[in-house]
């Protein structure tokens, strides 16, 4: 079959790499580079990124890692051990030690909440913030987790998503960092697509998608199947059919890349900065792959959910947080990147995702159509897996 894919982001490439094994695949990318919000930008000897924090939420065992292995990618993902530290009152704690920091009353409440979460005894219609009320420390910690992982505050995060995230975490475990960072993953997929004679056309912005009964057109070129890795909203605007019933709500964020000689974190772990005003967490990807930082330096990536619309004043709060985090002042800010509008953290914040399957010959893939509980690129992989399975079933029926 002839398959046309709009967008060479992670979602488009996952589908392209798998489908190019048995089909004629063409990927259209409007930008001059491949990888969308999941690739590296070399800057002053550091590998900063177009978006992501060089992290894979469920590491070497999650949906993305499994999809990569099945497709034939040999990228190596190093898991975090421990998964994370939680910073409270200027000190880092591992999860189980958090209980030692609170009063007996809060400890009992927190244990009750943890048990309710584990056994799913929770009202799915409330927010994570509401669920955590009554445990101030848990609320701070929960807020830093949702801010880092979903770019949402706890009150914006539906409990239904948290319950699924909890299940996926029990199944797959915590995060990891790929060797080569985001670009390590992207390069491995591009290599497969090239080997299979798939085409990736850069600087090629698609403006029109037309879907008919058994075929479709991308800017007048005919395909049997069309997959869009552009956001659902942009895809609907380009296409001749309306498929959005409820508009997805994007999530916004601010990322700061910092160079330092001192060591903030071990391995691939995250520090959830529960005691910062705006910053939700930080990591140090150069621990896993030294080539991500200039020699003799570490690359620290800090992320904050953008809570208010004035980006400039949000950045000011973030910079104040950084002053407080780097007590010895031994750091250099490499870049400050804000993510909103057409280039957000997620095209659909968790809980507002659409279904990737529009028709048997027209699909969406990416972070506007993540599965329930899919954290960022794990959600992108879930969408790709669903689309690929559907294409396989339909193709099987046709043949
Ligand atoms: C600050 C920040 C930190 C993050 N941190 C992490 C993290 O550590 N771990 C994690 O798992 N995720 C993280 N994410 C999220 C992750 O980066 C995204 O979920 C993922 O990259 C989205 O991939 P995608 O394929 O859905 O979309 P994209 O990467 O946006 O790819 C879509 C592609 O389609 C192209 N396109 C769009 N319209 C057209 C058109 N009309 N014609 C041709 N091409 C078109 C775009 O140019 C783009 O290249 C982070 C995101 C941000 C912004």
């Amino acid at each position: 079959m002839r398959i046309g894919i709009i967008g060479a982001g992670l979602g488009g490439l996952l589908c392209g790499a798998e489908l190019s094994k048995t089909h004629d695949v063409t990927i259209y990318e409007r930008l001059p580079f491949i990888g969308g919000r999941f690739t590296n930008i070399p800057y002053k000897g550091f590998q900063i990124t177009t978006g992501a924090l060089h992290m894979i939420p469920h590491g070497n065992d999650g949906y993305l890692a499994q999809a990569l292995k099945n497709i034939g990618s040999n990228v190596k993902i190093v898991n975090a051990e421990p998964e994370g530290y939680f910073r409270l009152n200027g000190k880092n704690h591992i999860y189980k030690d958090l209980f030692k920091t609170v009063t007996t009353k809060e400890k009992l409440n927190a244990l009750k909440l943890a048990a309710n979460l584990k056994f799913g005894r929770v009202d799915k219609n409330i927010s994570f913030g509401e669920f955590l009320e009554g445990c101030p420390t848990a609320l701070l910690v929960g807020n830093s987790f949702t801010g880092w992982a979903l770019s949402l505050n706890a009150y914006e995060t539906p409990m239904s998503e948290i319950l699924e995230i909890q299940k996926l975490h029990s199944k797959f475990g915590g995060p990891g960092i790929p060797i080569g960072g985001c670009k390590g993953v992207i390069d491995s997929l591009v290599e497969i697509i090239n080997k299979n004679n798939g085409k990736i056309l850069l600087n090629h912005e698609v403006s029109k998608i037309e879907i008919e009964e058994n075929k479709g057109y991308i800017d007048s070129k005919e395909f049997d199947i069309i997959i869009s890795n552009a956001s659902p909203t942009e895809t609907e605007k380009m296409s001749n059919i309306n498929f959005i019933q409820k508009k997805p709500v994007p999530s916004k964020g601010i990322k700061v890349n910092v160079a330092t000689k001192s060591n903030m974190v071990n391995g691939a772990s995250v520090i959830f900065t529960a005691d910062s005003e705006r910053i939700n967490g930080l990591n140090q990807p150069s621990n896993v792959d030294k080539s991500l930082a200039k020699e003799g330096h570490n690359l620290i990536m800090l992320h904050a959910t953008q809570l208010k619309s004035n980006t400039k004043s949000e950045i000011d709060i973030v910079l104040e947080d950084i002053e407080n985090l780097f007590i010895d002042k031994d750091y250099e800010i490499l870049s400050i990147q804000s993510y909103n509008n057409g280039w957000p953290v997620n095209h659909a914040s968790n809980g507002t995702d659409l279904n990737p399957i529009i028709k048997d010959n027209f699909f969406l893939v990416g972070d506007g159509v993540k599965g329930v509980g899919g954290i960022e690129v794990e959600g992108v992989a879930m969408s790709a897996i669903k689309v690929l399975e559907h294409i396989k079933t339909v193709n099987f029926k046709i043949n």
Side-chain angles (χ1 to χ4, degrees):
M1 288 194 294
R2 284 156 309 167
I3 299 182
I5 301 179
I6 299 140
L10 180 65
L13 295 173
L14 284 169
C15 291
E18 178 59 28
L19 292 167
S20 63
K21 291 178 186 167
T22 40
H23 301 285
D24 176 2
V25 168
T26 307
I27 304 179
Y28 297 93
E29 171 54 57
R30 69 176 164 198
L31 297 173
F33 64 86
I34 300 175
R37 284 165 288 151
F38 201 74
T39 192
N40 301 6
I41 310 174
Y43 184 68
K44 290 186 170 178
F46 294 81
Q47 296 292 330
I48 63 171
T49 69
T50 49
L53 303 145
H54 287 309
M55 285 216 114
I56 298 184
H58 296 298
N60 197 29
D61 306 290
Y63 283 116
L64 178 60
Q66 285 178 20
L68 289 167
K69 278 174 208 150
N70 290 341
I71 289 167
S73 151
N74 53 13
V75 68
K76 188 166 180 272
I77 301 164
V78 178
N79 280 352
E81 180 52 50
E83 291 170 5
Y85 299 90
F86 298 87
R87 192 174 189 274
L88 284 168
N89 301 318
K91 283 208 176 107
N92 295 334
H93 306 270
I94 54 170
Y95 179 71
K96 71 177 177 20
D97 288 349
L98 282 176
F99 292 93
K100 293 182 193 153
T101 67
V102 297
T103 60
T104 312
K105 186 173 167 221
E106 204 182 329
K107 193 187 293 176
L108 289 173
N109 281 347
L111 286 169
K112 206 164 116 194
L113 287 187
N116 286 345
L117 192 57
K118 188 166 176 196
F119 298 109
R121 291 190 302 244
V122 176
D123 178 357
K124 287 184 183 160
N125 299 311
I126 62 171
S127 71
F128 190 36
E130 286 168 278
F131 172 74
L132 296 173
E133 272 173 5
C135 277
T137 309
L139 185 54
L140 284 176
V141 166
N143 204 49
S144 60
F145 168 75
T146 57
W148 172 266
L150 312 176
S151 225
L152 291 177
N153 77 30
Y155 283 97
E156 294 169 316
T157 307
M159 207 51 216
S160 48
E161 285 288 320
I162 293 292
L163 287 167
E164 282 304 311
I165 288 172
Q166 150 85 14
K167 276 192 211 153
L168 295 179
H169 179 260
S170 307
K171 193 167 163 188
F172 299 131
I177 294 182
I179 299 295
C182 298
K183 193 166 183 291
V185 174
I186 297 300
D187 283 350
S188 74
L189 292 171
V190 171
E191 195 184 320
I192 295 167
I193 293 169
N194 287 340
K195 201 179 85 201
N196 296 331
N197 296 319
K199 292 184 269 309
I200 304 177
L201 310 177
L202 296 180
N203 298 304
H204 195 120
E205 176 154 11
V206 170
S207 57
K208 201 169 171 196
I209 305 169
E210 280 170 283
I211 302 296
E212 292 180 3
E213 201 47 49
N214 288 315
K215 58 187 171 194
Y217 298 88
I218 294 179
D219 290 341
S220 308
K221 187 157 183 347
E222 190 180 315
F223 291 97
D224 299 296
I225 284 179
I226 293 177
I227 302 173
S228 177
N229 187 202
S231 75
T233 313
E234 281 181 273
T235 304
E236 190 182 65
K237 265 192 216 148
M238 287 183 250
S239 87
N240 62 333
I241 53 175
N242 291 330
F243 52 84
I244 300 182
Q245 266 91 45
K246 199 165 173 216
K247 266 197 174 315
V249 183
S251 58
K252 302 189 261 184
I254 293 164
K255 184 182 72 189
V256 181
N257 296 291
V258 165
T260 172
K261 286 188 177 162
S262 49
N263 192 44
M264 295 282 282
V265 200
N266 297 327
S269 297
V270 178
I271 297 181
F272 295 95
T273 49
D275 58 356
S276 289
E277 175 80 18
R278 205 51 108 242
I279 289 180
N280 305 118
L282 62 92
N283 66 357
Q284 194 170 303
S286 51
N287 288 343
V288 166
D289 184 344
K290 288 218 172 317
S291 73
L292 300 176
K294 190 162 100 178
E295 209 181 325
H297 292 73
N298 293 309
L299 170 64
I300 310 263
M301 297 178 128
L302 304 105
H303 180 74
T305 305
Q306 181 169 344
L307 297 181
K308 297 192 181 154
S309 53
N310 185 331
T311 306
K312 163 89 182 55
S313 60
E314 289 287 281
I315 289 174
D316 288 342
I317 303 173
V318 164
L319 293 178
E320 216 170 291
D321 279 345
I322 292 180
E323 272 292 295
N324 296 329
L325 281 166
F326 292 84
I327 309 157
D328 59 6
K329 311 295 173 215
D330 163 34
Y331 70 93
E332 181 199 340
I333 292 189
L334 293 168
S335 69
I336 303 167
Q337 296 164 288
S338 63
Y339 294 88
N340 43 49
N341 299 323
W343 202 255
V345 179
N346 279 301
H347 281 302
S349 59
N350 285 61
T352 74
D353 288 276
L354 304 185
N355 185 346
I357 294 154
I358 303 173
K359 281 172 152 284
D360 282 347
N361 61 346
F362 187 28
F363 304 91
L364 296 168
V365 73
D367 69 348
V369 289
K370 303 179 296 298
V372 183
I375 302 178
E376 310 211 310
V377 294
E378 300 292 355
V380 173
M382 284 163 95
S383 73
I385 292 166
K386 191 165 174 183
V387 166
L388 291 169
E389 272 171 9
H390 193 93
I391 292 175
K392 220 190 262 173
T393 319
V394 170
N395 194 20
F396 179 71
K397 274 194 213 147
I398 293 170
N399 295 322

